[in-house]
Structures are given as C-alpha cells and as structure tokens.
C-alpha cells in the first residue's frame, strides 16, 4: 500500500469525522436532533457508518489494487503487512482492496433493497390501514402467510431457479421479500392516524383518498418507517452475506463482504484474516445501523414531541 | 382564630425544561391556608399551577425535572412537610392528607379489583387484616353511593362507568378518614349530571367526616356552590383570595372580574349573543410558564394597566383590613388597590 | 317543518356493530344505537344547539349529516339537495357548502403542516385560488378569525388552544360554506378564551349569514348562541324547542335536570338541584320503554314509562317533547 493510499484512508477518516461534527452541529439546534445525539451510541454509530460510506465512495483512492487483481500466484494467504495491510486471500488478492470495493456492493445492496422494501411496505400498509375492510383483510392475510415462510429459504429457492443471477435481480428479490414487517408497522400507525380529526377534516374538505394518504397520513407515519428502514439495512446486509456465503448471492469474483468470508473460510485455520476482516466490517456496520436506528426511534417518538 | 390545618407560604416549584427553553416557574410564590373542616376552592385556567401546587404539598413532584425551591414552606398541623423524612411523609400521605386526581380513568390500576385498591390504604396505614380491610372497602363503597357494594367490591375498574370510577377514587381517598382531602378537578372529566352527583357527595361526606377539602377546579360555578373560601390563581401566583360570597359580590382583581364576566351563564337573559349582546372576553391568552410577563403578570391582558403595572410586580395587598391570609381576609395582587380611581374606564364591551 | 329551512334532517339512523363473537367472525354481539331516528331543520342563518351528555350521539349526528360517517337510514337535504344520494364526485363538490369544526384543537390540525399550508389546501382542492390570490385570501381569513398574520408559518404545536381553534375555523371558512357543523368548538378551551371564540362565531354568523349546527354538552354555552335547542339522550332527541321557550320552561324531565345541574357562578343563587341518580345507560343496551325512565325523577312516572316509549310530539306549537307527561310544564330552573 502506497503513501498515497494511506493518506486517502486518513482523509476518509477525517471526512467521516467532519460529517459527524457537522451533523451534530446542525442537529443540536432542534429538540429531535438533541434527543438523537443524547443517545450514547448515536455518535460512534454515525461515525462508523460515515466512515464506511466514505471508503465505499473513495474505494479507488484508498485501495492499492483493483478488486479482482491477483498479485501473483505466489502470494496467497499472506499475513497482514505494510504492503497488504489486511493480508491476502487464498487467491492472492489484497483483502483490504476487496474490502473497500466490497463496501460499495454490500452497502449498495443493503440500501437499494431496503428502499424497495420500505416503499412497498409503506404502500401496502397505508392502503390496508386507510381503506380497512376487505382490502385490509386480504392484504394482511398475504402478509401473515409471507411472514410465516422463512425468508432465506424463499430466497434460496428463487436463486436456485436462476442460472446466473444478475445483481439487480438479487436486490429486487431481497426487497420483495422484506416488506412484510414494515407493512404491518405502517398499517398499525395508519389505523390510528386515520381516526385523528385532521384526517376527518381533510375528508370534510373534499380531499381525495390518495391526497389524504400522501399529504396527511404518511408524513405522520414517517418516524416508524425511517426507524424500520435504518434497522432493515443491517438486516439486508446480513442476509446478503448469508446468501453470498452459501455461494448463491453476489457471484465471484465481484467482492461482497459475504463472499469474501466464503472465500476465506476454508483457510480459516492458517489464514484467519481473509474471513475475519470482512466479518468484522459487517458486524461494525450492522451495529452502527442498529445504534442509529435506536437513537432515531427515541428522537422521532411523537410522544416526546412536546408543545 | 384557630390554628390552620395547612399553611402554605411562598411555595415555589420550578421545572427545568429541555435545553434552550429555560425554567418553567410553574408555581411561583404561592401562599394560602386551609382551616380545619372548611372547603377551600382553588380556581384558575389551564397551566396556572393548580396541579403542581397540590402535588408539591404531598411532595409528589417528579425530581428532576422539577424541584421545590428553598425558602418554600408547607406546614401541616405544625409539621413542615418539606423537611420530613420519607417514612414520616408516607405516614401522612393517603392517611392524613389524601388526594383524588383529575383523571378517573387512568388513576386506578386496571389489574386489581376496586376492593383491593380501596383496602390497600387501610392495610398499609391502619394495620387492618385482610377481612377487616375488605369489610371497610365495602363500607366505603356504600358511603360513596355505589349500589350493591358487596358485589361491586370484586369488580375491576373497566367494569365501571366514569362516574363510578370517580366514586371509587373518592372511596380510596377517604378510607383512612383523612383530615384534608385534595380534590384536583374531581369532576372535569364527567358529565354535568354526574358532576352534580359527585359534588353533592363531596359536600355530604365533608359534613359527615368533618374533613377539610381543597377543591381545585377551573369552573367558577363549582366553587360558587361548594367552597367557603376561594383562591384565584394566575400565572403561578395567587392573584386574589377571599370568602366565596365576598369574591363573587366584589371581585377586585381585574382577572377575577374578567373571568366572572366571561362565563356564559344560564341565568343570563336568553340568546345574549343574538340579541346583540356579546360575552365579555379577556383578550390574549395565558402566557407560558417559562416566560411570565414582567411587572404584574396580568398586565398584557388587563384593561386598566398603566406604567406601574408594567414595571413593578404588585404584592398581595390587603383589601379587608384583617391582615394575613386566614378566614375573613380578602387579599388582591393588583396595584389598583393603591389607586382605586384608575378602575373608572369600564372593561371593554 | 318550515319550508325556509336550509338544512333538513329526517329520521337519521346510525348503528355501530359491537364486538363480534368467535374472534371477529361471528354475529355482532350487540349494536350501539348511536343515532336512532333524529330529525330537525335549521333555517338559513340561524343556529340549532344540539346538547346532551357524553356518548349520546351528538358527534355521530353531525358527522353523519356531512357523510363523514355513512348513515344507515334517513334523509339529509341542504337547500333541497339530497346529500345521501350523492356520488363521490358530487359529494366532494358539496363539501364546499357544508364544513365542520372539531372539538379537539390539538387533534384537528395536521402537526406537520404550517398554518399557511393548512389553509392553502382547501383552496387548492376546490381550485378556488392559487398563488397571489391564495395568499390574499389567507391573509383575509386570518384577519377575519383574529389571528396575527405572523402565525402563517407556525406549526400547530407552536400555537395555543384558542389560536388552533381559530385556524380550524379559518380552514372551514376558506371554502365559503353556508352550513357549519361546530362539534364542541369551545369545550377544550379555557374560560377566557372560550368567550373570545364564541364571540367570533357570533360575528362570523352575522357577517356571512352562516347556518350553524352547534354541538355542546354545556347548556349555558348553548344558551348564548342558539336560536333553537335540541336535547339528545341515548341517540334520540327528547326535547326540541326555540331557545327562550326551552330555557324558560323545559318540559322533559331530563332537560329540567340538565338545566338544574349546571353550576351557576353565584353563591347566592337559591336553586333547587335535581340530582339524577345512576349513570347514563350504555347505548348498546338502551332500557325498554322510555329510555330515560331508570333515572327519571318525574313525580308521575309509572308503568307506562317502563313499557311504552314516548314519541317526540308537539306539545305546544313549537315545543316538541318525548315524555308521556309533557302537558304540564316543569318548574323552570
Ligand atoms: N413535569 C413537568 N415538566 C415541565 N413543566 C411542567 C411539568 N409539570 C407541569 N409543568 C408546567 O407547570 C405549569 C403548571 O402546570 P399545572 O399542571 O399545575 O397546571 P394546572 O393549573 O393544573 O392546569 P390544568 O387545568 O390544565 O390541569 C404548566 O405551565 C406546565 O407546563
Ligand atoms: N366508530 C365507532 N364505532 C363504534 N361505536 C362508536 C363509534 N363512534 C361512536 N360510537 C359510539 O356511539 C355512541 C355515540 O358517540 P358520539 O361520539 O356520537 O357521542 P357524543 O354525543 O358526541 O359524545 P361526546 O360528548 O363524548 O363527544 C357512543 O356510545 C360511542 O361509543
Ligand atoms: S396590577 Fe395593573 S395590570 Fe395587574 S391586574 Fe392590577 S391593574 Fe391590571
Ligand atoms: Mg391540573
Ligand atoms: Mg362528540
């Protein structure tokens, strides 16, 4: 790893710190932001997330090698050194470089799949909760059944039917199987919101259902949606890691943290670094997301929205 | 003059609000006395500090964010409640001083029968056995006018109506025959016909048990019918204090005057508004507890206010010449008392 | 009924199914008869006060009239137009003519919308005004309800109860309705602010010739604003009369006891209180016969009350009462 890479890495850490400081400065002017940062793990969580996002964005700068680049066949399973800060994997690729590029894939899949899931979940939940009656009954039965099926099993089946799974299909599949919980959450929220008088007032004014849902109901249900999204991204990353580990997720040689673990695992006894570091990265990011989700839950709790 | 049962002097209870919004001076120098056996009405609009006053007396203020400021003084039968040990305090709470709360729906524990809840105080404070306490609970339910008390004693709160729950609350409060009952808006959540029942019940029980009652309410009609003396609160302070007939016949504080004039009345000529008559109203609204106005706290809404009101905070002035805050006294926190001529411009239409 | 009446309600019924047996699959256990055959007429520019205790069906009546709740049966006409026969599109158009103001000043405004956004919405929905014109109208509305224009950018939690209620009134007025249902508009307000809002409502009515259905549980407040008063008990109107007649000589024992239960702020008033025994029965199980008989203090109460429900009948030319003994006036309060 060259001086230039080290500088870039240091730069990434500085950027992450700056992001946290700036976010904190802005947040402290409002009561919600204050509640967010009062949570003990909110700061470290935000920092870890900001750091990995910066790494992902700046992968070409912080990584000394391209992700697929095999140094040469004589360098497999090198322990961490100045040249290979996290060692090399059994195919003599630089673990650090793959970790940096893997952040793009792992975080990207997590975010995109969650966007799909949350959009779908919010839509279904809002429709079920707002219209109630048979629409609600039908949708919620579907959700019940879907929640009863183990998700990983459904995904494995879908993946097994495909020969070469394009990445966007994987994202879509994870998203499509991940909205059930969110929809229940949103439905419960909408059921109580629709009884609020400002919704009646909007109906009395002659507003259409769509307008009422988008203008009056969903914005007031935003807090649980955001929280469930934050917690959900971590979940999706774990799921992707699991699938990749089983060899059914992101196809090699593209690096994802999941398939990096899979690649490194057979040599765990002699070269633990190539599986351990991606595992550590996943744990860190998932913990950071959970911390942020928890802090958001406190910050956005409408019961604490004092007059 | 007999010794008062309860004497509150210069009570200050403040709350620290979330950063940036300052201190809420919820109760800010309140003084009054309750004589044995009398009913003291405390009236005021939402947020003027009625509930905080009563919670301070029982030392039930959540700390933090709240705290009773040093210099405050609450004396019950010669004992300073603010310096009592927790153990001594518990012996007084629910035993000698009892309280009923604003919300009959949420103040009862849903998982215990009403009988258990009434009996608990008797067991704790008077060392009654299970059977004796249950008998006492039934007797209390009968006293507060609940039909079939032997059966009702085993019911849960959700099986009762709002009016019955409020009766149960009263039964719970009275089970140890307290000397002072603090009733914080006991009828606000109830319908008028049920309110009439509860007020009548309180009147009767007070006569039978000889206890003193602090009746807290925002409804001037309620105090007119039940209280011997009235304390009017505004913005965390007592602004007027007088015997009931005197207060209604001769309200001296412009706030009391305005409040009395703005109550829609059944005994007014019919359809006042349509006949061109309008209700009197006090302009503006009650300020926030974090930002009481300087000078007289009522001056921004007062029709008489002049320079002195804006600059200087009036003390409680004696209007009856009796001194003190005991029975028969009439005190007013208003500079008009020193310059009665200024009352001339009639309040706005 | 007077042909001049702008609003006519006839035989309005709304029953809510109770809980169902068998985990929500069986027959409903009992039916809540929230509104059970309510009729009234309100002449243009006047106010009908609808009074009664909690749960007697006042709000349900008001909402069913506007079809915020679909009534089960009955007829509602405004200016001759049959409200219950309208399709979704015509109903939205009708919303411009009848509006509602709610009791809870905290719950009836969207917490995430500023005052301006709240007031722009109805103008946009009905394509009344946009841009500059909308701004001008909002300024005029705020002026009319007595709210400082500085509050335009405020969120509801930054306003006091009285200010919020003014925003609610301004929102209802923005579409220039003829009829306003006021569902306990001052019950949640402090006395000093309540008087401000009542005065505002009276002024608006005089200026805009509005027709009000004024719902309240406080007879003293209603006396101040209503031309006629209808008293409800368990989903039915038990007495309906012009305000002066009703306050001077109530003929239903329930009206009489309601009147006598209102606390009067005058310690010297010598009043004979009629204290009713018992609680209001649940509208899911109304008593047989006259619904009021278990609590009725009428000296002549007899077996007929327990078995035969009295109809709402005309006792004097304009006083309608549902009591078997309505002929003799009761002692006025
Ligand atoms: N826990 C608390 N934290 C901060 N402020 C508080 C707290 N409790 C009360 N206050 C403030 O103290 C003031 C007085 O409140 P209090 O409950 O005594 O009013 P009240 O006279 O009982 O009114 P109401 O008629 O609404 O019951 C209010 O302005 C309120 O905001
Ligand atoms: N959506 C609903 N589902 C089931 N029951 C309802 C519903 N809405 C109202 N009810 C019942 O109908 C009855 C009448 O209710 P309504 O809200 O009209 O009373 P109200 O006279 O307005 O009372 P309040 O003074 O408390 O506002 C009550 O018993 C209530 O429990
Ligand atoms: S002191 Fe002045 S401002 Fe205060 S009430 Fe009296 S006259 Fe009004
Ligand atoms: Mg209170
Ligand atoms: Mg209602």
């Amino acid at each position: 790893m060259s001086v230039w890479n080290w500088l870039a890495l240091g730069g990434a850490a500085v950027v992450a710190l700056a992001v946290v400081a700036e976010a904190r400065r802005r947040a402290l002017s409002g009561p919600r932001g204050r509640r967010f940062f009062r949570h003990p793990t909110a700061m470290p969580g935000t920092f870890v997330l900001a750091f990995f996002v910066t790494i992902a964005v700046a992968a070409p700068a912080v990584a000394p090698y391209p992700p697929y680049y095999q140094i040469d066949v004589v360098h497999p399973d090198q322990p961490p050194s100045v040249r290979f800060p996290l060692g090399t994997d059994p195919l003599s690729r630089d673990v650090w470089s793959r970790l940096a590029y893997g952040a793009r894939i792992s975080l990207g899949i997590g975010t995109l799949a969650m966007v799909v899931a949350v959009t779908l979940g919010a839509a279904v939940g809002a429709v079920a909760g707002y219209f109630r009656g048979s629409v609600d009954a039908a949708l919620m039965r579907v959700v019940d059944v879907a929640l009863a099926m183990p998700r990983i099993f459904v995904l494995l089946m879908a993946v097994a039917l495909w020969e070469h799974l394009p990445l966007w299909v994987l994202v879509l599949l994870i998203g499509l199987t991940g909205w059930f919980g969110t929809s229940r959450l949103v439905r419960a929220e909408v059921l109580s919101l629709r009884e609020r008088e400002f919704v009646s007032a909007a109906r009395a004014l002659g507003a259409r259902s769509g307008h009422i849902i988008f203008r009056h109901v969903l914005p007031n249900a935003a807090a649980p949606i955001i929280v469930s999204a934050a917690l959900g991204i971590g979940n999706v990353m774990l799921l992707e890691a699991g699938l990749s580990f089983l060899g059914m997720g992101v196809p090699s040689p593209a690096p994802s943290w999941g398939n990096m673990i899979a690649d490194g695992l057979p040599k765990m006894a002699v070269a633990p670094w190539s599986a351990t570091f991606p595992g550590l990265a996943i744990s860190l990011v998932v913990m950071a997301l959970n911390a942020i989700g928890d802090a958001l839950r406190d910050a956005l709790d409408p019961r604490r929205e004092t007059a | 003059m007999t010794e008062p049962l309860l004497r509150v002097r210069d009570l200050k209870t403040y709350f620290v609000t979330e950063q940036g919004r300052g201190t809420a001076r919820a109760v800010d120098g309140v003084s009054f006395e309750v004589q044995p056996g009398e009913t003291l009405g405390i009236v005021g609009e939402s947020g003027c500090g009625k509930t905080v006053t009563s919670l301070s007396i029982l030392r039930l203020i959540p700390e933090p964010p709240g705290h009773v400021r040093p210099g405050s003084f609450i004396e019950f039968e010669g004992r300073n409640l603010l310096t009592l040990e927790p153990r001594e305090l518990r012996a007084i709470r629910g035993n000698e001083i009892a309280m009923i709360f604003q919300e009959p729906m949420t103040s009862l524990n849903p998982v215990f029968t009403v009988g258990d809840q009434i009996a608990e105080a008797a067991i704790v404070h008077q060392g009654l056995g299970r059977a004796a306490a249950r008998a006492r609970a039934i007797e209390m339910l009968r006293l507060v006018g609940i039909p079939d008390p032997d059966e009702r004693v085993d019911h849960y709160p959700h099986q009762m109506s709002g009016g019955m729950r409020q009766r149960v609350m009263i039964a719970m409060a009275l089970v140890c025959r307290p000397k002072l009952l603090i009733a914080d808006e006991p009828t606000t959540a109830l319908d008028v016909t049920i309110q009439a029942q509860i007020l009548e019940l309180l009147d009767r029980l007070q006569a039978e048990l000889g206890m003193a009652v602090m009746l807290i309410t925002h409804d001037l009609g309620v105090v007119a019918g039940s209280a011997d003396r009235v304390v009017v609160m505004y913005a965390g302070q007592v602004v007027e204090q007088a015997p009931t007939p005197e207060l209604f016949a001769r309200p001296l504080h412009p706030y009391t005057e305005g409040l009395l004039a703005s109550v829609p009345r059944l005994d007014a000529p019919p359809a006042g508004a349509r006949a061109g008559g309008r209700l009197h109203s006090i302009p503006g609204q009650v300020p926030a507890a974090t930002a009481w106005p300087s000078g007289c706290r009522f001056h921004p809404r007062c029709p008489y206010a002049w320079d002195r009101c804006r600059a200087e905070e009036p003390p409680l002035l004696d209007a009856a010449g009796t001194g003190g805050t005991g029975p028969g006294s009439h005190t007013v926190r208003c500079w008009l008392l020193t310059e009665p001529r200024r009352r001339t411009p009639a309040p706005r239409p | 009924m007077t042909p001049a009446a702008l609003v006519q309600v006839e035989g309005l019924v709304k029953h809510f199914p109770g809980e169902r047996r068998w985990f929500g699959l069986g027959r409903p256990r009992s039916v809540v008869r929230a509104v059970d055959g309510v009729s009234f007429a309100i002449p243009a520019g006047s106010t009908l006060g609808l009074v009664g205790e909690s749960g007697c069906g006042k709000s349900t009546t008001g909402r069913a009239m506007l079809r915020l709740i679909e009534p089960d049966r009955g007829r509602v006409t405004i200016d001759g137009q049959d409200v219950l026969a309208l399709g979704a599109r015509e109903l939205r158009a009708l919303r411009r003519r009848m509006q509602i103001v709610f009791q809870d000043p905290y719950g009836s405004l969207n917490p995430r919308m500023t005052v301006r956004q709240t007031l722009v919405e109805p103008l946009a929905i009905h394509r009344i005004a946009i841009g500059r014109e909308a701004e001008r109208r909002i300024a005029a509305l705020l002026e009319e309800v007595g709210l400082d224009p500085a509050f335009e950018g405020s969120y509801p939690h930054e306003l006091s109860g009285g200010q919020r209620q003014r925003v609610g009134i301004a929102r209802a007025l923005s579409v220039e309705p003829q009829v306003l249902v006021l569902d306990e508009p001052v019950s949640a307000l402090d006395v000093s602010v309540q008087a401000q809002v009542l005065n505002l409502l009276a002024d608006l009515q005089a200026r805009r010739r509005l027709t009000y259905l004024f719902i309240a549980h406080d007879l003293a407040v209603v006396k101040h604003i209503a031309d006629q008063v209808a008293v409800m008990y368990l989903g039915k109107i038990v007495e309906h009369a012009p305000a002066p007649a009703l306050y001077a000589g109530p003929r239903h024992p329930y009206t009489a006891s309601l009147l006598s239960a209102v606390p009067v702020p005058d310690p010297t008033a010598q009043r004979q209180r009629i204290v009713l025994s018992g609680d209001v029965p649940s509208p899911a199980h109304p008593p047989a016969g006259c619904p009021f008989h278990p609590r009725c203090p009428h000296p002549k109460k007899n077996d007929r009350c327990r078995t035969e429900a009295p109809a709402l009948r005309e006792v004097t030319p304009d006083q309608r009462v549902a009591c078997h003994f309505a002929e003799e006036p009761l002692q006025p309060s």
Side-chain angles (χ1 to χ4, degrees):
Chain A
M1 199 150 125
S2 69
V3 177
W4 166 237
N5 295 135
W6 284 111
L7 277 178
L9 182 58
V14 170
V15 167
L17 270 177
V19 165
V20 175
E22 176 64 13
R24 196 176 132 91
R25 197 182 59 75
R26 296 199 176 194
L28 287 187
S29 63
R32 286 195 203 158
R34 275 201 296 274
R35 284 202 297 270
F36 179 83
F37 279 106
R38 197 177 302 157
H39 209 275
T41 53
M43 281 268 276
T46 317
F47 171 75
V48 169
L49 191 67
F51 178 72
F52 276 101
V53 170
T54 318
I55 297 281
V57 172
V62 294
Y65 304 99
Y68 312 145
Y69 182 75
Q70 286 177 283
I71 312 296
D72 53 47
V73 275
V74 297
H75 272 108
D77 299 331
Q78 294 281 311
S81 61
V82 178
R83 190 171 167 209
F84 310 113
L86 303 182
T88 63
D89 72 357
L91 298 176
S92 54
R93 295 174 298 197
D94 179 36
V95 172
W96 165 243
S97 301
R98 286 179 66 76
L99 197 76
Y101 281 95
R104 292 183 158 189
I105 292 181
S106 288
L107 286 172
I109 289 181
T111 313
L112 287 179
M114 208 54 224
V115 167
V116 174
V118 163
T119 312
L120 215 59
V124 171
V127 167
Y130 187 78
F131 292 104
R132 298 189 302 188
S134 47
V135 181
D136 180 30
L139 287 174
M140 284 305 115
R141 287 307 81 77
V142 172
V143 169
D144 286 345
V145 171
L147 276 174
M149 287 197 287
R151 186 174 175 191
I152 187 98
F153 182 71
V154 174
L155 281 173
L156 283 177
M157 265 185 6
V159 171
L161 291 178
W162 236 282
E163 290 261 316
H164 276 287
L165 193 65
L167 212 50
W168 66 268
V169 178
L170 183 72
V171 170
L172 212 60
L173 274 177
I174 294 180
L176 288 177
T177 52
W179 55 271
F180 312 116
T182 313
S183 77
R184 273 205 178 163
L185 209 73
V186 173
R187 168 181 173 271
E189 199 74 8
V190 170
L191 272 179
S192 84
L193 278 171
R194 83 185 297 286
E195 301 301 328
R196 297 272 294 276
E197 282 185 340
F198 65 82
V199 174
S200 291
R203 285 211 292 142
L205 284 169
R208 290 160 202 274
S209 305
H211 175 88
I212 295 178
I213 291 178
F214 279 109
R215 192 86 178 97
H216 294 284
V217 176
L218 280 179
N220 284 291
I225 298 179
I226 292 173
V227 172
S228 91
L231 297 176
I233 294 178
N235 243 333
V236 171
M237 287 180 59
L238 286 176
L239 193 68
E240 178 272 327
L243 283 176
S244 299
F245 177 72
L246 294 174
M248 314 196 93
V250 178
S252 264
S256 91
W257 291 350
N259 67 19
M260 285 173 71
I261 299 180
D263 292 344
L265 205 67
K267 292 283 193 65
M268 193 65 193
V270 288
W273 45 87
S274 53
T276 309
F277 287 113
L280 212 61
I282 291 181
S283 316
L284 271 175
V285 170
V286 170
M287 280 193 302
L289 283 165
N290 280 335
I292 291 173
D294 273 351
L296 276 176
R297 196 199 314 271
D298 282 0
L300 299 178
D301 186 347
R303 269 166 306 176
R304 312 193 45 172
E305 217 131 297
T306 43
Chain B
M1 202 164 88
T2 53
E3 264 301 291
L5 182 67
L6 177 77
R7 181 185 280 153
V8 175
R9 238 182 13 232
D10 206 22
L11 174 66
K12 290 186 177 162
T13 308
Y14 292 1
F15 290 90
V16 179
T17 56
E18 281 194 357
Q19 294 107 298
R21 278 198 274 136
T23 306
R25 291 182 285 159
V27 171
D28 204 10
V30 162
S31 306
F32 60 85
E33 287 171 12
V34 185
Q35 306 297 326
E38 81 166 344
T39 299
L40 177 72
I42 297 191
V43 244
E45 294 181 288
S46 184
C48 69
K50 307 181 296 290
T51 300
V52 171
T53 301
S54 46
L55 292 178
S56 304
I57 293 173
L58 288 177
R59 299 228 335 242
L60 290 174
I61 295 290
E63 265 179 75
H67 64 284
V68 175
R69 303 266 298 172
S72 308
F73 182 73
I74 301 174
E75 192 183 66
F76 179 74
E77 288 194 315
R79 285 165 290 177
N80 185 351
L81 295 185
L82 293 176
T83 55
L84 283 189
E85 294 295 312
R87 191 180 44 79
E88 297 169 298
L89 195 66
R90 276 198 300 274
I92 291 185
R93 267 189 211 150
N95 189 24
E96 292 179 70
I97 306 180
M99 180 156 179
I100 46 185
F101 293 92
Q102 207 158 343
E103 264 303 318
M105 310 303 160
T106 51
S107 312
L108 289 171
N109 190 332
V111 302
F112 292 107
T113 65
V114 297
D116 285 343
Q117 295 184 56
I118 298 172
E120 187 181 324
I123 294 171
V124 170
H125 290 296
Q126 311 202 314
L128 259 53
R130 288 244 145 243
R134 184 185 156 89
R136 173 71 76 79
I138 294 174
E139 181 198 326
M140 291 314 296
L141 286 175
R142 182 170 294 121
L143 186 72
V144 297
I146 288 193
D148 308 320
D150 317 284
E151 209 177 295
R152 286 291 184 174
V153 72
D154 294 321
H155 280 196
Y156 289 88
H158 73 264
Q159 293 169 292
M160 305 190 137
S161 68
M164 289 222 269
R165 275 182 256 195
Q166 195 56 286
R167 283 166 195 267
V168 170
M169 287 289 300
I170 295 175
M172 263 168 78
L174 298 188
V175 68
C176 295
R177 308 269 147 121
K179 294 179 185 141
L180 174 65
L181 174 69
I182 302 178
D184 187 2
E185 313 225 18
T187 58
T188 301
L190 304 175
D191 281 320
V192 267
T193 62
I194 310 298
Q195 162 168 303
Q197 290 173 7
I198 298 289
L199 290 175
E200 187 129 309
L201 171 72
L202 279 176
D203 277 356
R204 181 175 58 99
L205 290 174
Q206 175 173 33
E208 277 176 29
L209 308 178
M211 63 185 171
V213 175
M214 243 173 86
L215 181 64
I216 297 174
T217 171
H218 63 263
D219 189 337
L220 282 164
V222 168
V223 283
S226 308
D228 301 309
R229 263 176 341 111
V230 182
V231 164
V232 182
M233 286 186 67
Y234 184 79
Q237 296 180 322
V238 174
V239 293
E240 185 159 9
Q241 180 273 126
T244 310
E246 163 95 0
L247 184 97
F248 283 87
R250 201 164 71 97
L252 289 179
H253 197 283
Y255 175 65
T256 318
E257 194 181 38
L259 208 55
L260 266 170
S262 52
V263 181
R265 298 173 67 132
L266 265 189
D267 48 358
R274 302 199 52 74
R278 293 158 55 85
L279 275 173
H280 172 82
S281 68
I282 306 176
Q285 71 234 4
V286 184
T290 43
W292 299 133
S294 63
C296 168
R297 292 185 183 176
F298 187 59
H299 86 253
R301 305 177 74 190
C302 180
Y304 309 111
W306 72 100
D307 307 344
R308 184 171 193 188
C309 308
R310 285 179 269 276
E312 240 183 297
E313 184 166 320
L316 266 180
L317 299 168
D318 190 355
T322 55
T325 51
S329 66
H330 188 167
T331 51
V332 185
R333 191 184 290 281
C334 172
W335 288 124
L336 276 178
L337 236 63
T338 61
E339 287 186 51
R341 287 178 302 105
R342 292 204 179 250
R343 201 183 279 277
T344 34
R348 269 172 309 256
Chain C
M1 248 162 239
T2 34
L6 179 68
V7 179
Q8 292 211 12
V9 172
E10 281 161 51
L12 195 68
V13 174
K14 177 68 195 180
H15 292 179
F16 292 105
E19 325 158 28
R20 286 162 186 271
R21 277 180 239 246
W22 305 111
F23 307 103
L25 298 174
R27 222 158 32 85
R29 196 183 292 269
S30 56
V31 165
V32 176
R33 298 160 182 273
V35 177
D36 209 12
V38 161
S39 307
F40 54 78
I42 319 176
S46 77
T47 302
L48 171 69
L50 190 60
V51 228
E53 292 180 279
S54 185
C56 70
K58 307 180 295 291
S59 299
T60 308
T61 304
R63 288 173 192 226
M65 206 178 105
L66 297 184
R67 283 184 65 187
L68 288 176
I69 297 175
E70 286 299 328
D72 298 336
R73 252 177 292 135
R75 223 177 114 75
V76 177
T77 55
I78 158 167
D79 217 357
Q81 190 175 18
D82 187 343
V83 175
L84 302 189
L86 298 180
R89 179 191 294 269
E90 299 135 332
L91 185 62
R92 274 201 297 276
L94 181 88
R95 302 287 195 209
R96 277 198 69 173
R97 306 182 62 182
M98 31 198 337
Q99 275 301 311
I100 180 164
V101 175
F102 295 94
Q103 165 172 6
D104 178 9
Y106 296 85
S108 57
L109 298 178
N110 187 335
R112 288 176 203 274
M113 281 165 72
T114 61
V115 170
R116 187 187 310 110
Q117 290 170 330
T118 301
L119 295 180
V120 162
E121 184 178 31
L123 299 178
I125 289 174
H126 291 285
R127 305 209 165 80
I128 297 171
I130 50 162
R132 276 275 183 73
E133 172 62 9
E135 294 291 322
R136 199 189 55 73
R137 278 181 185 250
I138 289 171
L141 275 171
L142 289 179
E143 158 110 47
E144 193 167 8
V145 299
L147 201 64
D148 195 316
F151 288 118
E152 255 192 38
S154 306
Y155 286 91
H157 73 261
E158 297 164 340
L159 303 179
S160 72
Q163 290 169 339
R164 290 180 202 207
Q165 206 56 303
R166 286 173 202 266
V167 177
I169 293 171
R171 175 177 59 189
L173 289 179
S174 63
V175 297
E176 295 176 353
Q178 295 166 285
V179 181
L180 222 49
V181 173
L182 301 157
D183 190 354
E184 310 217 25
V186 295
S187 303
L189 303 180
D190 275 325
V191 186
S192 67
V193 178
Q194 170 179 314
Q196 296 169 2
V197 174
L198 282 174
N199 286 340
L200 169 66
L201 289 171
D203 291 347
L204 289 171
Q205 178 167 50
R207 202 175 320 138
R208 295 190 172 217
R209 217 177 124 69
L210 292 167
T211 305
Y212 286 164
L213 175 66
F214 188 96
I215 297 173
H217 62 262
D218 185 339
L219 274 164
V221 168
V222 170
K223 180 170 187 179
H224 214 83
I225 195 154
D227 302 287
Q228 327 164 50
V229 179
V231 179
M232 276 185 88
Y233 191 76
L234 285 182
K236 293 193 166 74
I237 291 182
V238 295
E239 180 156 9
H240 183 176
L246 185 120
Y247 285 93
R251 282 173 185 258
H252 196 284
Y254 179 62
T255 315
S257 40
L258 267 188
L259 280 171
S260 89
V262 177
V264 170
D266 180 0
T268 58
Q270 291 297 315
R271 292 202 310 153
Q272 216 180 343
R273 270 221 205 127
I274 314 169
V275 175
L276 291 180
S277 57
D279 296 308
V280 185
S282 141
H285 307 280
C290 171
F292 186 55
H293 87 255
R295 305 175 76 200
C296 181
H298 201 289
K300 289 195 177 168
K301 182 165 82 170
N302 61 18
D303 277 342
R304 193 173 160 212
C305 301
R306 280 177 270 276
T307 51
E308 188 188 327
L312 188 66
R313 64 208 165 92
E314 215 157 88
V315 177
T316 70
D318 42 27
Q319 202 157 0
R320 297 189 295 147
V321 186
C323 170
H324 293 308
F325 309 105
E327 269 60 42
E328 312 94 281
L330 293 156
Q331 171 213 13
S333 74

